[in-house]
């Protein structure tokens, strides 16, 4: 069965410093993986997706993620945090039957 | 270009009442999903559909029913609401369910008192 674990429930960084949000997945087949962002009281927006092409995936707003099959990881990074990055981030894995399975979420805080 | 639209956006129910949440998408997507979001638990899949006339159970289906009579609509029903169903509900749709992006509605905030 597919599952996804976000290793940190909350991450706090200072503006201008790097961001690392960690995600490990479990899948019995080659998965598709996504990162979504949710700003307060808003819906969910796609940041980036991995679908078995390049292992380093670039997304919107300067975010990127690297698919590492040997480590079953899909960590999200950004070189320099901005105040507007403060939000909740979700790692998502697809199930072979069409389900989208969400991680528990990581809340990112950005300090001035 | 509406995308995914959920109705209503807010609702307060009394315990034991019933209601239906409507999700409509205008992108001709095959897959549709209903999730609930609770603090610290991410989004949990309630039910989903892989095409018109089909439905399947997700992770937390108890207390909910769904129907997909038309491709563009996916209805979520609560037959007898309970306080444990107080949550924010999100609908989503996607073209293929695996490698394609899912699009989400803005959510429905439901409170059961």
């Amino acid at each position: 069965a597919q599952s996804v674990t976000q290793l940190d429930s909350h991450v706090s960084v200072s503006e201008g410093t790097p961001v690392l949000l960690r995600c490990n997945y479990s899948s019995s087949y080659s998965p598709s993986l996504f990162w979504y962002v949710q700003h307060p009281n808003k819906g969910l927006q796609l940041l980036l997706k991995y679908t078995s092409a390049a292992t380093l995936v670039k997304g919107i707003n300067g975010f990127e993620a690297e698919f590492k099959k040997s480590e079953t990881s899909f960590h999200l990074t950004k070189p320099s945090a901005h105040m507007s990055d403060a939000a909740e981030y979700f790692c998502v894995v697809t199930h072979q039957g069409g389900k989208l399975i969400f991680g528990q979420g990581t809340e990112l805080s950005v300090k001035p | 270009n509406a995308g995914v639209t959920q109705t209503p956006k807010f609702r307060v129910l009394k315990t034991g009442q019933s209601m239906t949440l409507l999700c409509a998408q205008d992108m001709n997507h095959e897959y549709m999903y209903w999730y609930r979001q609770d603090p610290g638990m991410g989004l949990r899949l309630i039910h989903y559909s892989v095409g018109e006339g089909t439905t399947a159970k997700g992770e937390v289906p108890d207390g909910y029913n769904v129907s997909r009579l038309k491709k563009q609509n996916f209805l979520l029903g609560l037959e007898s609401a309970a306080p444990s169903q107080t949550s924010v509900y999100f609908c989503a749709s996607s073209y293929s369910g695996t490698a394609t992006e899912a699009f989400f509605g803005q959510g429905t905030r439901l409170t059961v008192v």
Side-chain angles (χ1 to χ4, degrees), chain B residues 20-73:
Chain B
T20 299
L21 282 68
L22 171 64
C23 177
Q25 53 95 4
D26 61 1
M27 296 172 281
N28 201 35
H29 285 169
E30 292 292 336
Y31 289 69
M32 296 188 74
Y33 310 85
W34 275 108
Y35 290 89
R36 60 177 289 172
Q37 183 177 26
D38 302 291
M41 305 187 76
L43 277 75
R44 292 180 292 168
L45 183 63
I46 304 172
H47 287 280
Y48 66 108
S49 168
V50 301
E52 181 179 313
T54 74
T55 63
K57 294 181 179 179
E59 303 166 88
V60 289
D62 294 342
Y64 305 94
N65 56 75
V66 288
S67 64
R68 183 109 181 259
L69 299 179
K70 294 183 178 180
K71 187 177 185 178
Q72 63 267 35
N73 295 336

Side-chain angles (χ1 to χ4, degrees), chain B residues 72-88:
Chain B
Q72 63 267 35
N73 295 336
F74 195 31
L75 279 63
L76 177 70
L78 286 72
E79 290 186 346
S80 179
S84 60
Q85 294 177 303
T86 293
S87 187
V88 180

